[in-house]
Amino acid sequence: MTAQLIDGNALARQVRAEVADRVQALKARGVEPRLTVILVGEDPASQVYTRNKVADSEQTGLQATLERYPAELPEADLLARIRQLNDDAGVHGILVQLPLPRHMDAHRVIETIAPAKDVDGFHVASAGALMVGQPGFRPCTPYGCMRMLESIGVDLKGKHAVVIGRSNIVGKPMAMMLLGANATVTICHSGTRDLKAQTLQADVVVAAVGKRNMLTADMVKPGAVVIDVGMNRDDAGKLCGDVDFDGVREVAGWITPVPGGVGPMTRAMLLVNTIEAAEKAPPRGA
Ligand code: NDP
């Protein structure tokens, strides 16, 4: 069996087109949806990510501003700037690019963002809303994975999903979303005794570890859906995921490639969260 590909680029294009329509609808009502992205320091990967986030936004008609600050910026100044943006009715989404310089407490910084503008979905209020099944911003990566699962029409009810990784931004919210869709969910991590025994039972496997080739063909049940969140480099420096793609695609029913899978969907879901923030914002002056 050769797995069918879940094409993240194609799906992301569709999502961006939907967002662009919603942007036009808001503009027709006199609302200019706006995202502010904050980058502190010179981390090369963060510079690329933030540039992409602004470019993606502008492509859909969303206004986006990148604010750059030196790595030495005192944390108090960053918190003060976030509070200003919280109070600015013209700004609908605020995203602080992680990681932050070592002298800053990332948790304190994220908690300073108003939950109504937390388009990354990392605020404790957003995490709590997900936990109790209430509306709120969902972290973009697992949100994108759910959209990919939806796109192939898989009914998650009663399916066994195994999530490998338990980070606050990917693994845990992924597990919560799968649970919300009535899957039976197992969360694996570095302390899991027999990972293969778990993954072999999975109808859906989400690999979110950050280790190349950590999911191999012998660990996958025939026909399973395999979502590869990992972002690693192979020996030639080429981007690759956590999944041994060539091997696993011979066993799985569906598989996401890296690149061209979860990455573009993560970017697209930030736009979905931002337009949603703008749609829900009280009118200016209200
Ligand atoms: P973290 O490093 O925060 O979490 C990794 C998780 O993997 C941890 O929970 C860890 O367990 C677990 N783990 C480590 N080794 C093993 C193992 N041998 N077996 C089972 N579990 C293991 O990473 P993130 O969640 O932030 O990201 C995961 C990957 O996804 C990374 O490659 C990252 O670059 C990528 N990523 C991709 C995105 C995209 O848009 N495509 C977006 C975000 C992330 P423990 O908790 O016990 O330490």
Side-chain angles (χ1 to χ4, degrees), residues 113-170:
I113 298 172
K117 300 189 180 189
D118 172 41
V119 289
D120 246 345
F122 294 168
H123 195 287
V124 164
S126 303
L130 173 59
M131 178 87 183
V132 296
Q134 288 295 309
F137 295 114
R138 305 310 191 214
C140 301
T141 300
Y143 196 12
C145 293
M146 290 304 285
R147 184 73 194 251
M148 292 176 117
L149 290 169
E150 202 180 289
S151 78
I152 60 169
V154 59
D155 179 7
L156 291 167
K157 187 171 178 212
K159 296 281 186 336
H160 188 183
V162 171
V163 179
I164 320 173
R166 57 171 165 182
S167 71
N168 289 333
I169 62 169
V170 187

Side-chain angles (χ1 to χ4, degrees), residues 141 164-167 169-170 188-191 195 208-211 214 229-232 242 262-263 266:
T141 300
I164 320 173
R166 57 171 165 182
S167 71
I169 62 169
V170 187
C188 298
H189 47 78
S190 65
L195 183 64
V209 173
K211 285 189 182 145
M214 65 99 44
V229 178
M231 280 199 309
N232 312 295
D242 288 346
V262 175
T266 295

